[in-house]
Amino acid sequence: MTGPHVVALGGGHGLYASLTALRGACETLTAVVTVADDGGSSGRIRAEMPVPPPGDLRMALSALCEDTDWGRTWRDVLQWRFATSGPLDGHAVGNLLIAGLWDRTGGIVEGLDWVARLLRCEGRVLPVSTEPITVSADFAVGDRVERVVGQVAVATAPGRMRCLAIDPVEPAVPAATLEAIAEADAVILGPGSWYTSVLTHFLVPRVAAALVEAGPRTILTLNIAHEDEETAGTDRVDDLAALRDAAPGFVPAAVLVDASEDDAALRAAVESWGARYVVAPVREPGTLDRHDAGLLREQYQALVSWVRSGGALAR
């Protein structure tokens, strides 16, 4: 049997962790990356150019760089940020490089493939959409509801989120992104900022339909602890409820939970959903909310093998 074809979805540090865990363990590995960021260097680039924010895409490319002096050097260059007293201050070199390739080639996917060649990446990085997406949400604050617009604003808004939306409502999706999800032996969803990196995939209609179809091949990785401002005052059961509200037809094969988050209510929520409940220590030692790539790798290898063997369908 050949190695598995795996797709991992998300953004930022959560996707970086899952890609680091998966690299080298798959025949093909594809990252599908959210494009809702509007802060920092990425936000400044999308404000000046009609392109997706490159930051989360840069992080995914960096995670997949070849493990050689060449790959690691170019990874570090991509991640390098300028510290100046002028307009370059805070810009990541990789964001500018990606934007420059997009400007030169006129193709979002083509530009990312060129950067992947430069890093000799062990996998491919694709955007969830070739258009920049703007996230908005309604928050209940006391006895009033406030609309908040923008990824940074949504991630840091006070109150309890009531609904999440994107603009445009039907953004363009690369054919390669849909093909990767459809052809994958296994799909890894999460960890990451729950609303703006995970749930946003289900707000893109064509991607949502592909993920519903891929549900029996999907491993959902829950976050750890409660340090993320997006989910302050909630717990993992609330996270599942928000996902089920956003994607009523989606049921994953398995839900991976860190041992520190294990409880009877969460187990009941997962099993009533129809998914396998998997508990394992996957937190990075010495941290509160970071996944350990090595521990994740062990769990992903076992779960991907289980999915490929038909275990999810045999239940």
Side-chain angles (χ1 to χ4, degrees):
M1 181 181 293
T2 59
H5 302 267
V6 178
V7 170
L9 297 94
H13 293 286
L15 182 60
Y16 191 98
S18 60
L19 292 175
T20 303
L22 289 163
R23 56 178 292 172
C26 311
E27 184 169 331
T28 64
L29 176 57
T30 304
V32 174
V33 185
T34 184
V35 289
D37 189 11
D38 62 353
S41 173
S42 286
R44 290 155 63 189
I45 288 172
R46 72 178 279 179
E48 293 186 37
M49 301 172 65
V51 296
D56 285 340
L57 295 158
R58 182 197 82 244
M59 288 283 290
L61 287 161
S62 298
L64 295 176
C65 76
E66 183 182 68
D67 191 18
T68 61
D69 284 345
W70 176 276
R72 291 189 297 270
T73 296
W74 279 109
R75 174 202 63 197
D76 294 345
V77 170
L78 248 65
Q79 298 286 52
W80 187 264
R81 288 187 184 272
F82 293 105
T84 75
S85 58
L88 277 177
D89 186 55
H91 269 304
V93 173
N95 288 354
L96 299 175
L97 176 63
I98 293 168
L101 278 163
W102 286 342
D103 205 32
R104 181 182 184 279
T105 65
I108 301 299
V109 171
E110 182 183 0
L112 293 170
D113 285 343
W114 274 109
V115 181
R117 290 189 193 106
L118 177 65
L119 273 69
R120 298 174 182 167
C121 284
E122 299 177 22
R124 193 179 192 191
V125 174
L126 297 169
V128 71
S129 169
T130 52
E131 300 178 77
I133 291 172
T134 299
V135 176
S136 62
D138 289 342
F139 284 86
V141 183
D143 59 356
R144 68 185 190 280
V145 175
E146 297 181 356
R147 169 58 59 90
V148 176
V149 178
Q151 186 270 333
V152 173
V154 168
T156 57
R160 191 75 174 263
M161 185 180 293
R162 294 303 185 199
C163 69
L164 190 68
I166 61 169
D167 181 47
V169 294
E170 293 193 17
V173 179
T177 296
L178 298 175
E179 290 167 3
I181 296 171
E183 296 172 4
D185 293 315
V187 174
I188 306 295
L189 180 62
S193 297
W194 199 248
Y195 293 102
T196 57
S197 289
V198 178
L199 264 59
T200 46
H201 293 287
F202 291 98
L203 301 181
V204 179
R206 297 181 71 192
V207 174
L211 289 174
V212 169
E213 183 70 22
R217 296 176 278 123
T218 299
I219 299 154
L220 177 66
T221 309
L222 296 190
N223 290 334
I224 304 171
H226 310 279
E227 301 304 306
D228 190 343
E229 290 181 86
E230 281 190 5
T231 52
T234 64
D235 58 23
R236 302 291 79 87
V237 174
D238 295 316
D239 291 349
L240 291 187
L243 195 160
R244 296 185 71 174
D245 285 344
F250 173 75
V251 181
V255 177
L256 178 58
V257 179
D258 180 65
S260 66
E261 297 286 342
D262 181 28
D263 66 42
L266 182 56
R267 177 183 291 273
V270 170
E271 293 180 348
S272 68
W273 196 13
R276 177 184 172 188
Y277 185 72
V278 181
V279 179
V282 290
R283 184 174 60 182
E284 182 179 335
T287 72
L288 293 174
D289 59 353
R290 297 277 178 153
H291 285 80
D292 182 276
L295 296 173
L296 271 183
R297 183 185 180 93
E298 293 176 16
Q299 297 303 315
Y300 285 159
Q301 286 181 310
L303 287 168
V304 169
S305 295
W306 173 72
V307 167
R308 292 185 79 199
S309 70
L313 298 176
R315 284 179 299 127

